[in-house]
Amino acid sequence: MNGLSRKALGEFVGTGALVAVVVGSGIQATELSSDVGVQLLANSLATVFGLGVLIVLLGPVCGAHFNPAVTLAAWWAGRRGGEGPTLREVAAYVPAQIAGAIGGAVLANAMFARPLVRWSTHERWAPHLWLGEVVATAGLILLIFGLTRAGRAHFAPVAVASYIGAAYWFTSSTSFANPAVTIGRAVTDTFAGIAPGSVLPFIGAQLVGLVVGMGLVGVLFGRPAPAGDVVPQGEPHPVAVDR
């Protein structure tokens, strides 16, 4: 298996495992408690721990983006210096992330004896939810690339997982912040699901958040660090850089 295939497989496995954690813990939580607050707490804690483990495990393989927004931001940030992913890598990563997210949701459904694919009926269609996605995604991008430019990328596994856990609670949308995960969660009619009709506005909001986040990185941290210092989310040298 060549290097790009291995990286794409890492993104597929990592994104799939992340969605399996999000969806599976949501199903488990609803089976154990009828309290929505307890359900969200269980779902967010499982996501924090699962995401942190996946970043540490797969960061050395593929950079552990698990998120098309992170992949696109990494390409944009590194396009001039050549330290980010190439367009060829972006073209391999994004489909792998989307396929992995759908596969992870199907796996979670199977583990809990649910229909393998059932479109979610959970409508998430409201301007305040879209604003929540802008904020969640912008914060994630600012965190990842801010840590990189500050020379503290080694904190990414803990910081990114902690941020997503917090954003579950402080954003109205419960922080999807990830186009691939959003698509994957449409095929499960469970606690973590999102109705197919709500997917495109969420992804649009996430892309706006991507632009806002990159703008904040530029304003707050200035120009990118030298190529040898760019290692977001556990990516090994010399390759540069994602619910």
Side-chain angles (χ1 to χ4, degrees), residues 15-16 19 97-107 116-117 180 183-185 187:
T15 310
V19 174
Q97 292 159 350
I98 294 172
I102 295 171
V106 171
L107 176 61
L116 296 184
V117 174
I183 293 170
R185 289 168 65 168
V187 303

Side-chain angles (χ1 to χ4, degrees), residues 28-40 191:
Q28 186 79 281
T30 57
E31 291 185 349
L32 295 175
S33 174
S34 60
D35 187 309
V36 177
V38 172
Q39 293 169 0
L40 186 61
F191 179 79

Side-chain angles (χ1 to χ4, degrees), residues 159-189:
V160 170
S162 298
Y163 172 79
I164 292 299
Y168 257 85
W169 291 90
F170 79 77
T171 64
S172 56
S173 62
T174 66
S175 182
F176 284 46
N178 186 327
V181 168
T182 303
I183 293 170
R185 289 168 65 168
V187 303
T188 178
D189 193 19

Side-chain angles (χ1 to χ4, degrees), residues 46-69:
T47 302
V48 167
F49 295 137
L51 179 57
V53 167
L54 289 169
I55 293 173
V56 171
L57 175 64
L58 295 175
V61 176
C62 58
H65 299 187
F66 311 147
N67 187 336

